[in-house]
Amino acid sequence: MTAKLFIHGVPDSPAIWRPLLAALDLGDAPIAVPALPGFTGPLPAGFPATKEAYADWAVGQAEALFAEHGPIDIVGHDWGALIAQRVAMLRPDLIRSWAVSNAVIDPDYRGHRLARIWNTPILGELFMALSKPAKLAEGLAAQGMPADIAAEEAAQWASKDKRRAILKLYRSAKGLSFEHDWARDVGRLPANGALIWGEGDPYVELSVAQRFSSNTGTSLTVIEGAGHWAIAERPREVAAALSAFWSGL
C-alpha cells in the first residue's frame, strides 16, 4: 500500500484528521500525521516559522516516508494544502499523488479577513491576546468542526508559541498572497492531483477551487452542505472522494 502523509492547517493540529482517518480504509498503508512545528509543542530552537521553513520541514517528512516506502500520497487541508502543493512542486520525485482540501495556491487569491488581521503588525498581536480558547472552541464548532476536536484545538491556543508561529507564517506569505512566488510554480505540480472542497467555505470560496480546477485540469469534488472543515464535518464523503481518486491512479 502507498504511504500517506497528512498535513494539517491553521489553527489546527493532527486531531483534525481523526474523523477522516476513521472513515478511510487504508489497510496496512503506512500513515504519517505530523504536527506543524510549534503547533502542539514549543517552537524548535532556530525554526523561523515561515512558509518556506514549513515547506522544507514537510519535504523532510515526505523524504522520510519515501525512503522507507517509495512514492507517497500527500494530503493537505488549509495551510497544510498549500504546503502539500509546495512539496509536490519542489519534489515531484517523492510524490505519487497530491490531494488538497479548502485551500490552493492561487495567484489571484488575496486572503480572508482573519489572514489580513494576522498579517498586520500590532493588530495581529492584539487579536491573538484577546482571543480566548473558549470562544475559539465555540466558533470552530459553529462552523462544523466536531465539538471534541474544537475543544482540543482551542486548548492549544493558550500556547504562545502556537500563536507566534501562526503570525510568522501568515506574515511570511503577506497574508495569503502567493502571486509573486509559489503561484509561479503551479505548472510544476505533478498531474496526479485532486481538489476536495467544502461547498460553503467562508474563508476560501468555492470559486477559488473552480478557477484552479479550470486553469489546471485538476479534478474537483464539492462536498455539499460542508464548510471549511469538510474533512472533519463530512469525513465519509471526503473519504469516498479520496478513495476514488487513489483507486484511479
Side-chain angles (χ1 to χ4, degrees), residues 67-89:
E68 288 195 40
H69 308 289
I72 69 168
D73 296 323
I74 190 168
V75 184
H77 169 258
D78 185 82
W79 253 107
L82 306 174
I83 293 168
Q85 283 195 314
R86 189 57 176 166
V87 171
M89 291 173 178

Side-chain angles (χ1 to χ4, degrees), residues 124-163:
E125 281 78 3
L126 182 62
F127 179 94
M128 290 291 188
L130 295 175
S131 299
K132 303 303 180 185
K135 200 69 175 178
L136 177 62
E138 182 181 316
L140 292 174
Q143 293 185 58
M145 186 182 293
D148 60 328
I149 297 177
E152 182 176 339
E153 298 198 336
Q156 297 162 0
W157 195 253
S159 166
K160 290 183 179 179
D161 275 8
K162 182 166 186 170
R163 297 197 301 268

Side-chain angles (χ1 to χ4, degrees), residues 51-67:
K51 70 182 195 299
E52 305 299 343
Y54 280 110
D56 289 343
W57 164 82
V59 166
Q61 299 291 312
E63 285 176 332
L65 272 181
F66 177 88

Side-chain angles (χ1 to χ4, degrees), residues 49-218:
T50 62
K51 70 182 195 299
E52 305 299 343
Y54 280 110
D56 289 343
W57 164 82
V59 166
Q61 299 291 312
E63 285 176 332
L65 272 181
F66 177 88
E68 288 195 40
H69 308 289
I72 69 168
D73 296 323
I74 190 168
V75 184
H77 169 258
D78 185 82
W79 253 107
L82 306 174
I83 293 168
Q85 283 195 314
R86 189 57 176 166
V87 171
M89 291 173 178
L90 294 174
R91 293 298 304 278
D93 57 302
L94 304 175
I95 305 299
R96 182 182 79 139
S97 76
W98 57 270
V100 299
S101 179
N102 289 86
V104 72
I105 295 172
D106 179 275
D108 298 318
Y109 180 64
R110 291 295 178 268
H112 49 79
R113 176 176 172 272
L114 193 52
R116 292 192 291 271
I117 291 173
W118 287 339
N119 188 48
T120 306
I122 301 178
L123 181 60
E125 281 78 3
L126 182 62
F127 179 94
M128 290 291 188
L130 295 175
S131 299
K132 303 303 180 185
K135 200 69 175 178
L136 177 62
E138 182 181 316
L140 292 174
Q143 293 185 58
M145 186 182 293
D148 60 328
I149 297 177
E152 182 176 339
E153 298 198 336
Q156 297 162 0
W157 195 253
S159 166
K160 290 183 179 179
D161 275 8
K162 182 166 186 170
R163 297 197 301 268
R164 188 157 54 98
I166 290 171
L167 292 181
K168 286 177 176 289
L169 177 58
Y170 275 83
R171 289 171 187 178
S172 73
K174 299 180 176 62
L176 280 171
S177 174
F178 298 94
E179 178 183 6
H180 300 294
D181 45 38
W182 288 9
R184 295 187 175 186
D185 293 330
V186 167
R188 295 170 61 183
L189 279 168
N192 290 338
L195 311 180
I196 302 173
W197 221 266
E199 178 185 32
D201 189 339
Y203 301 105
V204 193
E205 295 180 354
L206 178 58
S207 60
V208 176
Q210 292 169 328
R211 179 171 63 235
F212 188 94
S213 176
S214 175
N215 288 342
T216 64
T218 307

